[in-house]
Amino acid sequence: QAQTSGDISVQSAWARATHPGAKTGAVYLTLVNKGAMDDALVGVSTPIASMAGLHTEIMNNGVMKMRPLKSVDIRPGTQATLKPGGRHIMLMGLKRALKRGDHFPLTLQFAHAPAMTGEVEVAKIGASMPDMNGMSDMKGMQQQ
C-alpha cells in the first residue's frame, strides 16, 4: 500500500548503492496526487547527508547537465516520477556509503500536504530501477 500525506501518496522510494567514500547519491520515487488541488514537493532532508535537494538532468548541446529545482509539481489526478536520468533527489555530503539492502530515513515537505518521513531502500550500484524484493512503497511513511 502506498503511504499518504493529505492527498499525496509516495511509491517506490529507492536509492542506488554508492562506492565507499562517495560524497553524493540520489533518491528516486513516485508521487501521486489523489486530490483535486495542485500540490508540489518543495523540500527534502535526511540525516545521512549534509544536504538534500531536488535536481534534474537535462541535455544541453549534447552534454548532460544537472540543475537544481525549486519544486516538483504534482497536478491533481497525476503522478510525478523522480527517476535516473531525470528529476531526482540529490544527496550531497553523504555521511556513509549507501549499501545495497540498507534503509535510511527521508523527509518530504510539500506545499500543501503535511510533511512525511519514511525509509528509502538502497538498490545495487548502477541500478536503473529498484530491487524487486517486495519494495513497492516508502516503508514507515509518517505524517509530521
Side-chain angles (χ1 to χ4, degrees):
Q1 262 186 337
Q3 300 297 319
T4 62
S5 178
D7 292 322
I8 305 297
S9 66
V10 180
Q11 301 172 345
S12 303
W14 65 284
R16 289 177 173 153
T18 60
H19 293 285
K23 294 298 178 193
T24 61
V27 174
Y28 312 102
L29 50 79
T30 298
L31 302 163
V32 180
N33 186 343
K34 297 178 181 178
M37 293 178 42
D38 287 348
D39 208 333
L41 177 63
V42 296
V44 293
S45 61
T46 179
I48 66 152
S50 298
M51 192 165 71
L54 301 169
H55 282 78
T56 190
E57 293 180 17
I58 58 169
M59 188 64 73
N60 187 356
N61 294 324
V63 177
M64 188 65 78
K65 295 186 178 188
M66 196 173 332
R67 299 282 188 250
L69 294 172
K70 291 183 181 180
S71 64
V72 173
D73 293 334
I74 320 159
R75 304 271 184 243
T78 67
Q79 64 183 31
T81 301
L82 283 65
K83 61 185 179 180
R87 297 178 297 186
H88 59 278
I89 296 167
M90 188 75 190
L91 306 175
M92 295 156 281
L94 285 175
K95 297 176 181 176
R96 63 177 171 85
L98 303 179
K99 296 180 183 175
R100 184 179 188 179
D102 282 355
H103 296 84
F104 62 88
L106 180 73
T107 300
L108 306 175
Q109 293 95 29
F110 299 95
H112 303 292
M116 293 189 283
T117 298
E119 290 186 353
V120 174
E121 187 168 342
V122 181
K124 68 182 180 179
I125 289 177
S128 60
M129 61 179 16
D131 289 339
M132 292 293 142
N133 58 357
M135 174 184 54
S136 61
D137 303 311
M138 197 163 179
K139 296 178 182 176
M141 186 60 78
Q142 303 278 329
Q143 285 187 347
Q144 300 290 302

